[in-house]
Amino acid sequence: MIGIRIALAGNPNVGKTTLFNALTGSRQHVGNWPGVTVEKKTGRINRNGHTIEVIDLPGTYSLTAYSADEVVARDYILEEKPDVVVQVVDATHLERNLYLTTQITELEVPVVIALNMVDEAEATGCTIDRERLSSLLEIPVVRTVGTRGEGLDDLLDAAVREAKTSPHHEHIVGYGNEIEAMIASLVGVLAADKDLGDRYPLRWLAARLLEGDENALAKVKESPVSSRVQDILSGTDLDEYEAAMADRRYDVIAAVLPQVRTAGARSMNVSEMIDRVVTDRYLGIPIFLALMWGAFELTFVVAAPFVALIEAGLAWLSAAVAGWLGPAWLASLVGDGIIGGVGSVLVFVPNIFILFLFLSFLEDTGYLARAAFIMDRLMYAIGLPGKAFIPMLIGFGCNVPGIMAARTIEGEKDRLITILVNPFISCSARLPVYILFAGAFFGAAAGAVVFFLYVLGISTAIGSAKLFRHTILPGESSPFIMEMPPYRLPTVGTSLLHTWSRGAMYVRKAGTIILAGALVVWCLASFPFGVEYGSSESLAGSLGRLLEPLVAPLGFDWKIAVALLFGLVAKEVVVGSLGVLYGTGEEGDALSTALLADPGLSAATALALMVFVLLYAPCLATIATIRKEAGSWRWAGFSVAYGLVLAWTLSLIVGRIAPFFLGGA
Amino acid sequence: MTGAVCPLALLSAGTEATVADVRADRGMRLRLAGMGLCPEVWVRVQCADWGSLIVSVGDARYALSRGIAMKVLVREAA
Ligand SMILES: Nc1nc2c(ncn2[C@@H]2O[C@H](COP(=O)(O)OP(=O)(O)OP(=O)(O)O)[C@@H](O)[C@H]2O)c(=O)[nH]1
Ligand SMILES: [Mg+2]
């Protein structure tokens, strides 16, 4: 019953999470771009009565972590000491992947190599002699194809065997006489500090010190041997060692590779050809915009018949419920509260699914990384690295992973700005609000209105980034480098799976948090006893009228005030609350009809409301994520306050200007 | 192999070169080494977009902002 901990480490985008999912049956996020996984994830397997814990780590190019996600990976291996590290290696990028191997083995942990993506390597005619590689490196090498679940058993066998073998195989790069002498004298000094020796392999630490690794320097700073270490280091040119050591590692790899790999005929690379078009300096941005526009059209057009179907079903249901359920209050609870609240959110499931399908297509093909490159120039102008565009695109799905994705951004201020502007990127939860109001008040122009809102969101994010850069977080954008993965054709199966796992979250949210919100609003709308349901005499009415003065200048009445208040929990609740407050009516009218019939609502007010919902305070989950990622409540509070002020101002302006364009509505 | 040394950022699409020196701060240099971008490595510029580049390094391809591309000094292949 001994538990074994296996850590999956490796370069970014080599298929660690794909293997993790295949091994543990989880559904962690996979995508064809570097930096998908930004925190460690744990899963368990039961194997022959043993519990095996598998940990999926963010990808890293070297153990000298440079960005926040790389720190997570390095610290896990170094501090938590897994029983065995499975390094997932991309068979098509052996050279660079083995560089990391040379660093991991220095940590003196048992290592097993999962030679992944063998299918892609073989497709180019390249063959790799796995056994020879294994014997040259003295590390077990297992062939895997993560996407097809091949080699999992062998991998686990090898990992368990390696974890239990001691002493395990160990392959360490020799750095040549001069450097080895330095390492030896450093190890001699470091050994005097017993504590340090218990925690870190000293040879590794010495090598890191010679490379001038700041993290390693910090580790010895507190140690009593610190001054003697400094004496040794001060007389040397660290830059030279650093370059020489990298050289030696690549030399060792260069000596191994020709013995194990026979390169195939290098055909014209398809990815390069596609890139020639999509990253073209003139075509790049138009292609990107066309893709986005197409996505919105698709979201509307394809979803429309399904939406109509669900609407009809719900109308039938609420009419039927009104007949079946005896007591009036119960009929109201089910009809107004549950069907009105949750139903009005569920109606938009088809739109949400299509949006997610599009986003997963962007991610799985590899286009996402290109978008970052295309946007680099624009981002540079606002003082952020092009990479910062990726969290924005992820934010279209949901701001929480969008903000997490900022971890891959190297500069701390750049990361903070990227986090703070992400809430303005319109997430999928806001889409129902737009579809509802744009559909009701703008008819055929609804698609254009929604596109306008998304563009307004991006513009606000970009404008705010520029503002923050010039005021509270001044500085230069940090230079960036990002790997362009090869284009991969996602299978229908994986696309649907990715869409489903995110879409299911929306449905689950409807059944939990939105249901709860709807019930609270229903209670407020029904009590105290005897008042007319949803009238301004109800508790909801009193609450709404309390808030009304705040939003009256924007043209919003008390019902909207209540919906906006509860919408702070999650933005879909705005729609849910309105569904409850307006009731579905005896005829089971759609909410849009009820809204249209409200004399207090005009097209201009609807537009102002959509702008307000787009920009006002982030939802609770996002606030919590900002707090966690930015490291203090101050930033979370700032984000809420800034959003509220901006939303209020902009929707006031929009509400005033819009009538001129809409023909004095 | 004694061509003139210039920043990677100044190369145009289609040019091949070898890296002569990386003049970034140490953290960035160590990261770049992990990505295979270190002295003596052969690179090919695939796409040059007003400063930002896409470069092949070995089997991998990277997008670099102008900021980094200015710090990587290369020697153009004859
Ligand atoms: N052809 C092929 N593709 C694979 C294989 N394993 C993974 N992939 C694809 O490679 C891409 C990256 O997979 P991930 O599992 O997200 O990679 P990761 O190492 O977790 O990436 P990061 O979290 O960004 O470090 C996805 O598009 C996968 O579908 C494989 O064995 N063969
Ligand atoms: Mg991953």
Side-chain angles (χ1 to χ4, degrees):
Chain A
M1 277 292 149
I2 331 150
I4 290 181
R5 272 182 312 144
I6 302 179
L8 291 171
N11 281 174
N13 206 45
V14 295
K16 297 176 296 298
T17 306
T18 308
L19 278 176
F20 175 81
N21 286 346
L23 285 169
T24 63
S26 331
R27 284 214 204 131
Q28 291 303 331
H29 196 126
V30 167
N32 187 21
W33 49 284
V36 180
T37 309
V38 292
E39 45 174 13
K40 64 169 206 262
K41 292 278 156 83
T42 308
R44 279 193 185 75
I45 323 174
N46 242 317
R47 194 178 160 79
N48 312 331
H50 293 286
T51 312
I52 300 180
E53 205 171 76
V54 184
I55 297 101
D56 183 25
L57 295 173
T60 178
Y61 288 104
S62 76
L63 287 180
T64 325
Y66 195 62
S67 53
D69 54 332
E70 290 189 334
V71 170
V72 173
R74 180 202 58 203
D75 285 355
Y76 186 83
I77 300 178
L78 202 55
E79 311 289 344
E80 315 258 329
K81 303 205 190 332
D83 298 300
V84 52
V85 172
V86 168
Q87 189 198 345
V88 184
V89 163
D90 178 347
T92 62
H93 294 102
L94 268 185
E95 194 165 4
R96 190 194 67 201
N97 281 252
L98 293 180
Y99 183 85
L100 182 64
T101 314
T102 63
Q103 295 196 326
I104 297 179
T105 45
E106 281 181 349
L107 287 173
E108 294 168 22
V109 285
V111 179
V112 171
I113 287 181
L115 193 62
N116 199 35
M117 306 227 182
V118 184
D119 56 329
E120 281 191 3
E122 284 166 358
T124 65
C126 156
T127 54
I128 296 164
D129 184 343
R130 195 172 47 75
E131 280 168 14
R132 182 120 185 88
L133 180 64
S134 172
S135 67
L136 285 173
L137 294 180
E138 297 175 52
I139 295 173
V141 178
V142 181
R143 178 189 189 280
T144 61
V145 179
T147 37
R148 296 202 295 250
E150 286 175 26
L152 301 180
D153 274 326
D154 293 345
L155 183 62
L156 283 178
D157 283 343
V160 170
R161 205 180 318 121
E162 199 61 13
K164 288 183 174 165
T165 316
S166 74
H168 54 85
H169 301 292
E170 202 171 281
H171 174 87
I172 284 177
V173 173
Y175 293 107
N177 288 343
E178 190 192 342
I179 296 178
E180 287 296 338
M182 287 294 289
I183 290 180
S185 60
L186 275 171
V187 167
V189 170
L190 290 168
D193 184 346
K194 184 104 182 37
D195 209 34
L196 218 51
D198 286 345
R199 290 178 59 195
Y200 308 109
L202 292 183
R203 182 189 154 82
W204 171 83
L205 193 57
R208 279 299 87 75
L209 288 170
L210 272 187
E211 269 188 322
D213 181 339
E214 294 189 359
N215 185 265
L217 286 166
K219 284 186 174 31
V220 292
K221 199 151 191 182
E222 302 297 313
S223 161
V225 299
S226 159
S227 62
R228 289 176 57 205
V229 168
Q230 283 307 331
D231 289 345
I232 298 181
L233 292 179
S234 61
T236 60
D237 181 3
L238 293 183
D239 288 359
E240 208 150 278
Y241 285 126
E242 171 215 316
M245 289 164 84
D247 257 8
R248 281 295 299 152
R249 293 196 194 104
Y250 278 116
D251 282 350
V252 168
I253 296 165
V256 168
L257 280 186
Q259 304 184 58
V260 300
R261 183 174 65 179
T262 49
R266 197 181 141 83
S267 55
M268 178 61 195
N269 194 319
V270 182
S271 292
E272 284 176 25
M273 285 198 298
I274 300 177
D275 272 346
R276 212 162 277 173
V277 181
V278 303
T279 63
D280 183 88
R281 64 166 76 176
Y282 300 110
L283 292 178
I285 288 183
I287 289 178
F288 174 75
L289 289 177
L291 268 176
M292 297 300 278
W293 175 263
F296 287 114
E297 284 300 306
L298 221 63
T299 305
F300 273 92
V301 176
V302 178
F306 298 100
V307 171
L309 208 66
I310 300 179
E311 258 174 356
L314 285 172
W316 174 84
L317 193 65
S318 57
V321 159
W324 291 336
L325 293 174
W329 69 267
L330 191 60
S332 167
L333 173 67
V334 177
D336 296 322
I338 297 176
I339 300 179
V342 178
S344 57
V345 173
L346 281 182
V347 162
F348 301 111
V349 162
N351 306 83
I352 301 285
F353 269 71
I354 292 173
L355 179 73
F356 283 147
L357 188 65
F358 173 71
L359 288 176
S360 78
F361 180 79
L362 283 191
E363 282 192 53
D364 292 341
T365 52
Y367 182 78
L368 196 74
R370 274 70 184 186
F373 174 74
I374 296 165
M375 289 296 157
D376 185 47
R377 218 170 337 129
L378 180 71
M379 300 299 281
Y380 182 78
I382 60 167
L384 282 181
K387 236 184 187 177
F389 195 66
I390 287 187
M392 294 196 188
L393 282 175
I394 302 291
F396 282 129
C398 172
N399 297 124
V400 171
I403 289 168
M404 305 279 292
R407 284 194 187 182
T408 58
I409 292 172
E410 289 94 357
E412 191 53 25
K413 280 181 184 170
D414 294 356
R415 195 173 68 88
L416 259 178
I417 294 178
T418 311
I419 289 172
L420 291 175
V421 303
N422 204 277
F424 300 126
I425 299 299
S426 192
C427 66
S428 59
R430 278 167 261 188
L431 192 58
V433 183
Y434 309 153
I435 300 177
L436 177 64
F437 282 90
F441 290 92
F442 291 89
V449 169
V450 176
F451 190 69
F452 159 77
L453 286 162
Y454 274 86
V455 172
L456 180 68
I458 299 179
S459 316
T460 308
I462 287 179
S464 302
K466 194 152 175 72
L467 180 70
F468 296 160
R469 186 96 270 181
H470 286 289
T471 53
I472 48 175
L473 294 161
E476 292 255 300
S477 83
S478 58
F480 91 102
I481 177 165
M482 183 175 176
E483 188 173 357
M484 299 280 114
Y487 286 101
R488 295 198 165 100
L489 201 61
T491 62
V492 177
T494 52
S495 295
L496 289 182
L497 188 72
H498 293 171
T499 307
W500 171 252
S501 52
R502 283 189 251 179
M505 202 127 88
Y506 180 83
V507 177
R508 210 171 312 130
K509 228 164 130 191
T512 51
I513 201 162
I514 293 161
L515 177 63
L519 289 179
V520 171
V521 176
W522 181 83
C523 289
L524 290 176
S526 309
F527 295 112
F529 279 115
V531 296
E532 189 192 336
Y533 175 81
S535 68
S536 58
E537 281 75 45
S538 64
L539 281 178
S542 323
L543 182 64
R545 271 178 303 153
L546 205 66
L547 296 169
E548 204 172 2
L550 290 176
V551 292
L554 309 177
F556 305 161
D557 67 0
W558 70 265
K559 284 182 181 167
I560 294 181
V562 171
L564 289 174
L565 178 69
F566 285 95
L568 283 175
V569 175
K571 303 239 166 147
E572 299 98 325
V573 178
V574 173
V575 170
S577 307
L578 289 173
V580 175
L581 289 175
Y582 277 91
T584 45
E586 255 87 273
E587 302 83 33
D589 270 342
L591 176 55
S592 55
T593 323
L595 290 171
L596 211 50
D598 187 335
L601 279 172
S602 65
T605 324
L607 195 62
L609 177 63
M610 287 187 274
V611 170
F612 195 85
V613 170
L614 166 68
L615 302 175
Y616 88 121
C619 70
L620 286 187
T622 306
I623 295 175
T625 310
I626 296 177
R627 142 90 188 88
K628 185 165 127 254
E629 296 297 303
S632 86
W633 280 114
R634 270 203 7 249
W635 287 118
F638 170 79
S639 170
V640 173
Y642 179 80
L644 282 174
V645 171
L646 200 66
W648 200 89
T649 317
L650 276 183
S651 70
L652 185 73
I653 296 172
V654 166
R656 293 289 149 91
I657 293 180
F660 296 108
F661 292 96
L662 300 172
Chain B
M1 291 293 285
T2 46
V5 169
C6 77
L8 182 56
L10 302 186
L11 298 189
S12 49
T15 328
E16 303 192 346
T18 45
V19 176
D21 196 7
V22 180
R23 298 249 165 101
D25 64 83
R26 190 186 307 275
M28 182 53 104
R29 242 179 9 238
L30 291 171
R31 149 74 82 89
L32 290 179
M35 298 176 107
L37 204 69
C38 49
E40 258 139 82
V41 162
W42 188 261
V43 298
R44 187 160 56 91
V45 178
Q46 248 169 39
C47 169
D49 184 21
W50 287 307
S52 4
L53 309 170
I54 295 185
V55 189
S56 334
V57 180
D59 304 315
R61 301 192 306 135
Y62 299 107
L64 282 76
S65 68
R66 188 182 175 81
I68 288 193
M70 286 303 285
K71 290 179 178 151
V72 177
L73 301 184
V74 294
R75 192 171 286 127
E76 231 179 288

